[in-house]
Amino acid sequence: MNLIQFFDLNGERAVAAVNNGTAHVVNGATSVYALAIEALSRQGGLAALVAQKGLGDTVDRAAILAEGRMLAPVDHPDPAHLYVTGTGLTHLGSAATRDAMHTANSGATETGLTDTMKMFRMGLEGGKPADGLKGVQPEWFYKGNGYSVVNPGHPIPSPGFALDAGEEPEIAGIYIIDQNGQPRRLGFTLANEFSDHVTERVNYLYLAHSKLRACAFGPELRIGDLPAHIEGKSRIWRDGKVLWEKPFLSGEDNMSHTIANLEYHHFKYDLFRHPGDVHVHMFGTATLSFADGIKTQPDDIFEIEEAQFGAPLRNPVRTEVEHPVIVGNVY
């Protein structure tokens, strides 16, 4: 079962459950967050709660998307309490592009392995620990909060100061922190971890800057465990034609870390275990159009699809006008 949330034809929030490609309204539900909070207070979990509430009318996912009524599959009443974070160098083959970028600017081929390759090798050697053991920690980054999230179908804004506007097709884990401070997994979703790869290429220490961009995820939340093998397609459309297309792989069969190891190294920090908070944690990728020399333009459309996650995630890109930043005084 997948879940979507959207605005109905009356402009009211609603939730639908998707089974075998058909979406039915979940009776009495207005948000996945509220469903999750209710599920935490009873036995049986989210899927059992949906079954208990029952399903109503069928809704047309394609029409909801086309009309701009689809919401990200989870949000928070206070967007500041939704964290968007991620990990990199987690997938087999993911180091190649990054290493080439950093080597070109550091001359590391003459002095030994780049920090990128060292981190990647650490994951290969220690990212999948035996049960009960702690594995090596991955590269980690902060992307923003709920204000950084763009709904499916809506334009992803690229800042006027950005040097690049590139997609990153990923899987994201969705979590809520329960009343005891324990992370509880809701499921997984497609994500576009939109980044500025040219800024990162200047110096790998600019990685943090390059990640502070908007992002999109959804449109469907897959309830249940992450499949071990995920094979989707990442595309860029320009003027109604496919400009670039490439498969992307994910799932633990294609990763140098286990999901449990990535989760541990995020939630080991007390900061990320405050009751009621929502976390969208992106697990990385090995596929980038940037690696193939693609430079996106305004109105290009990113499309990420994988049948196990339902409807594809599509967002155009839009360049914003940079406004002056004026810092005032209160003294």
Side-chain angles (χ1 to χ4, degrees), residues 3-6 13-15 30-37 46 70-77 79 81-84 145-146 149-152 172-176 184 186-190 216-223 276-281:
L3 294 177
I4 58 173
Q5 50 180 11
F6 59 97
R13 289 182 60 119
V15 176
T30 58
S31 79
V32 170
Y33 179 80
L35 281 174
I37 291 294
L46 190 56
M70 189 71 76
L71 300 170
V74 71
D75 52 8
H76 194 286
H81 284 274
L82 185 150
Y83 289 84
V84 186
N145 56 25
V149 177
V150 175
N151 289 327
I174 309 297
Y175 308 86
I176 189 170
R184 305 286 288 271
L186 300 183
F188 300 89
T189 183
L190 296 175
F217 60 92
E220 302 187 24
L221 173 63
R222 177 188 166 97
I223 306 301
D277 284 355
V278 170
H279 290 256
V280 179
H281 192 67

Side-chain angles (χ1 to χ4, degrees), residues 186-205:
L186 300 183
F188 300 89
T189 183
L190 296 175
N192 185 349
E193 196 270 289
F194 183 73
S195 298
D196 184 341
H197 302 105
V198 173
T199 290
E200 180 191 350
R201 186 174 60 183
V202 172
N203 189 302
Y204 77 96
L205 294 176

Side-chain angles (χ1 to χ4, degrees), residues 244-264:
W244 174 89
E245 178 181 270
K246 205 165 190 176
F248 74 93
L249 300 176
S250 194
E252 287 190 4
D253 287 353
N254 304 295
M255 298 174 67
S256 52
H257 288 259
T258 61
I259 297 300
N261 190 52
L262 300 179
E263 291 172 338
Y264 165 73

Side-chain angles (χ1 to χ4, degrees), residues 18-100:
V18 183
N19 289 288
N20 299 319
T22 302
H24 291 268
V25 171
V26 178
N27 295 329
T30 58
S31 79
V32 170
Y33 179 80
L35 281 174
I37 291 294
E38 186 176 349
L40 290 174
S41 67
R42 59 177 68 203
Q43 294 182 343
L46 190 56
L49 177 60
V50 169
Q52 179 181 335
K53 287 183 173 295
L55 302 180
D57 293 340
T58 301
V59 292
D60 187 338
R61 289 177 303 164
I64 292 170
L65 284 163
E67 295 164 7
R69 295 188 285 118
M70 189 71 76
L71 300 170
V74 71
D75 52 8
H76 194 286
D78 179 356
H81 284 274
L82 185 150
Y83 289 84
V84 186
T85 56
T87 54
L89 300 173
T90 53
H91 285 66
L92 304 176
S94 62
T97 302
R98 295 276 301 281
D99 187 55

Side-chain angles (χ1 to χ4, degrees), residues 8-329:
D8 66 20
L9 293 174
N10 297 316
E12 302 294 330
R13 289 182 60 119
V15 176
V18 183
N19 289 288
N20 299 319
T22 302
H24 291 268
V25 171
V26 178
N27 295 329
T30 58
S31 79
V32 170
Y33 179 80
L35 281 174
I37 291 294
E38 186 176 349
L40 290 174
S41 67
R42 59 177 68 203
Q43 294 182 343
L46 190 56
L49 177 60
V50 169
Q52 179 181 335
K53 287 183 173 295
L55 302 180
D57 293 340
T58 301
V59 292
D60 187 338
R61 289 177 303 164
I64 292 170
L65 284 163
E67 295 164 7
R69 295 188 285 118
M70 189 71 76
L71 300 170
V74 71
D75 52 8
H76 194 286
D78 179 356
H81 284 274
L82 185 150
Y83 289 84
V84 186
T85 56
T87 54
L89 300 173
T90 53
H91 285 66
L92 304 176
S94 62
T97 302
R98 295 276 301 281
D99 187 55
M101 286 166 30
H102 301 158
T103 298
N105 289 281
S106 67
T109 51
E110 298 179 3
T111 59
L113 291 176
T114 62
D115 287 341
T116 298
M117 288 305 299
K118 290 176 183 177
M119 179 70 76
F120 181 66
R121 287 194 176 186
M122 287 167 62
L124 288 175
E125 295 168 0
K128 292 186 172 181
D131 290 346
L133 299 180
K134 297 175 183 177
V136 67
Q137 61 186 2
E139 176 191 54
W140 181 96
F141 57 85
Y142 173 74
K143 263 201 88 60
N145 56 25
Y147 292 105
S148 307
V149 177
V150 175
N151 289 327
H154 289 246
I156 296 179
S158 180
F161 56 78
L163 303 180
D164 179 46
E167 88 300 332
E168 294 202 16
E170 305 194 13
I171 302 300
I174 309 297
Y175 308 86
I176 189 170
I177 310 302
D178 71 15
Q179 61 272 23
N180 299 314
Q182 179 185 353
R184 305 286 288 271
R185 191 184 305 109
L186 300 183
F188 300 89
T189 183
L190 296 175
N192 185 349
E193 196 270 289
F194 183 73
S195 298
D196 184 341
H197 302 105
V198 173
T199 290
E200 180 191 350
R201 186 174 60 183
V202 172
N203 189 302
Y204 77 96
L205 294 176
Y206 279 165
L207 175 72
H209 285 283
S210 75
K211 296 299 186 182
L212 289 174
R213 301 290 186 270
C215 66
F217 60 92
E220 302 187 24
L221 173 63
R222 177 188 166 97
I223 306 301
D225 293 336
L226 186 69
H229 178 75
I230 294 165
E231 185 171 353
K233 287 288 182 66
S234 181
R235 299 184 187 91
I236 297 176
W237 292 80
R238 179 176 294 171
D239 298 328
K241 299 179 180 179
V242 175
L243 172 71
W244 174 89
E245 178 181 270
K246 205 165 190 176
F248 74 93
L249 300 176
S250 194
E252 287 190 4
D253 287 353
N254 304 295
M255 298 174 67
S256 52
H257 288 259
T258 61
I259 297 300
N261 190 52
L262 300 179
E263 291 172 338
Y264 165 73
H265 285 294
H266 177 68
F267 290 112
K268 68 184 180 183
Y269 296 102
D270 291 343
L271 172 66
F272 298 143
R273 299 198 306 273
H274 287 283
D277 284 355
V278 170
H279 290 256
V280 179
H281 192 67
M282 301 183 181
F283 295 125
T285 188
T287 302
L288 306 173
S289 66
F290 177 78
D292 292 335
I294 299 296
K295 184 172 180 60
T296 60
Q297 300 176 3
D299 299 322
D300 285 352
I301 297 173
F302 301 118
E303 182 178 68
I304 300 169
E305 70 171 352
E306 213 280 5
Q308 298 177 96
F309 292 84
L313 176 64
R314 290 170 57 95
N315 297 89
V317 62
R318 180 190 67 209
T319 301
E320 294 187 317
V321 176
E322 184 176 3
H323 297 285
V325 176
I326 301 172
V327 180
N329 298 320

